[in-house]
Structures are given as structure tokens and as C-alpha cells.
Amino acid sequence: MLTKKRSPLLSLMLIIAMMLMLVSCGGKGDDPGQSAEPAETEESTTQSAEVIKTLEEIDTEDMMDIPLQIKSITLYDDGTLKIVPVEDLLKNAETNNEVVDGAVYPFTDSGKVKDFYLVRFGNGGFRTLICLMDDGTLSALSANELIEDHIFIVMDRLTGRENYVNVKEVTYDDAFGVIGITEDDEEIDLDFSLDF
């Protein structure tokens, strides 16, 4: 008789003790103020964003330019720019822990991207990617590091101006050039900012 009366009381105490243990174990190793939800990755951010612009077939067999080892470039409406690298560019990005679900987001620290331009410059088959940022500045991938070393190095605030609205590639007699256009329709030569 005595054991039957204690049985529900012991069960209740056991349940309370287990609940307290679970609560205390759940907080170990967490920083105070840190939520229990998983950190949001670039990929999960882009899944909810809408694609504005995509560029594919960047390195084709019939081109005269030096391969960039980029499969595709995608711009999302939240200002995120996603680059899918291949070959050595992918291997080096993996070594540097830059790859998230097979892609790299090199302009994340530069701010929000408004538009992007894949441009030729010089006469040696060099190309690079220039981004018009939301604040009117221009950021670009260093062509030397991209083509020769197969790594992502971002150069921010080309020429130091904050009033760009467009970028265009121009053709000369024996070379290509890149012009940045300001909101006052001023054309700024960007070739010397692209470190070729």
C-alpha cells in the first residue's frame, strides 16, 4: 500500500528533475543572448530573394579571352551577388573557406550590389567583374588575382567616387577599355583602377 502512494509522487519528482536537467544542458556552450536558431547562410538568404540578373556561359570554347573559371554570376534583389566558380578558382575558394553550397559571395563585405558588369580591358584578353554598389561606388574583382592566381580579391571604391550610375566597355583600335559613368554624365576611365 505504501509503495502505491509514493509511486505517483516519485514519478512527478523524476519528471521535474529531468526537465531541469534538459533546461540546464540546453544552455551549455551557448553565449548569453545567442538564439538557439541556426545561423542564416548566404544560400538561405538568396533562396528567399528574387533573381534580378544572371550571366552564364562566361568561359566559352570559341572566346579569345583568358578563362575566368566562373560558371555563372547571379544578382538578387536583396543586393546579394552569387558567383559559382569552377576548376582552380573553386579549389582555392574551398581552401580559403569561401564556398557556401558551391558558390562564393565575394562582395558581401562591400555592401549591396545594384548591378554588375563583366568587362574586357587592355589587349591581352583580360576581363573582370565590376559591381555598381547601392551607395554609388564601384567595386571590382582584381583581374590579376582572378586570372593568374585564381582567387577572389575585391577592390572597393574604385577612383574614390560615390556618384556612379553605370559602367560600359569601350573598344579602341587595338584594345578594350572600361568607362564609369557618373550621375552628371561624366565618363571616368577605369582601366588604371583595374590593376592589369
Side-chain angles (χ1 to χ4, degrees):
M1 278 302 232
L2 199 55
T3 54
K4 286 184 181 178
K5 288 183 180 177
R6 287 187 184 176
S7 185
L9 183 60
L10 284 173
S11 297
L12 181 61
M13 288 174 55
L14 191 64
I15 291 171
I16 291 172
M18 288 176 58
M19 287 175 48
L20 288 173
M21 284 175 39
L22 284 174
V23 169
S24 66
C25 288
K28 286 186 179 176
D30 292 341
D31 291 335
Q34 196 177 38
S35 80
E37 302 205 5
E40 191 173 278
T41 64
E42 291 290 344
E43 185 64 26
S44 64
T45 301
T46 58
Q47 285 177 355
S48 61
E50 188 176 321
V51 174
I52 293 179
K53 182 178 177 181
T54 300
L55 184 60
E56 295 177 336
E57 297 183 13
I58 294 163
D59 293 339
T60 59
E61 289 181 15
D62 61 341
M63 70 176 186
M64 303 298 289
D65 300 315
I66 300 170
L68 296 179
Q69 299 184 353
I70 293 175
K71 182 178 179 182
S72 66
I73 305 167
T74 306
L75 176 62
Y76 295 89
D77 64 355
D78 64 356
T80 302
L81 189 87
K82 171 182 165 181
I83 298 176
V84 178
V86 294
E87 300 174 32
D88 291 334
L89 189 59
L90 174 60
K91 289 176 191 169
N92 292 338
E94 287 173 337
T95 300
N96 294 330
N97 296 319
E98 299 170 322
V99 179
V100 179
D101 294 328
V104 177
Y105 302 82
F107 295 94
T108 301
D109 293 336
S110 305
K112 293 185 177 182
V113 178
K114 191 173 186 178
D115 202 353
F116 71 87
Y117 313 87
L118 185 63
V119 294
R120 295 180 180 97
F121 62 99
N123 59 4
F126 273 52
R127 294 177 293 163
T128 195
L129 180 69
I130 299 178
C131 292
L132 173 62
M133 308 308 288
D134 207 36
D135 62 1
T137 62
L138 296 177
S139 293
L141 292 179
S142 169
N144 276 341
E145 278 81 7
L146 183 63
I147 292 170
E148 295 174 6
D149 300 329
H150 309 295
I151 58 173
F152 292 100
I153 300 293
V154 176
M155 302 180 303
D156 289 322
R157 304 183 63 79
L158 298 182
T159 74
R161 293 175 180 251
E162 299 178 352
N163 61 342
Y164 286 105
V165 293
N166 199 3
V167 171
K168 69 178 181 180
E169 181 182 292
V170 292
T171 306
Y172 303 116
D173 290 339
D174 59 350
F176 294 97
V178 185
I179 301 292
I181 301 169
T182 69
E183 51 195 25
D184 303 324
D185 287 329
E186 187 178 356
E187 295 190 349
I188 310 298
D189 186 346
L190 301 177
D191 286 15
F192 297 103
S193 300
L194 300 176
D195 84 333
F196 51 109

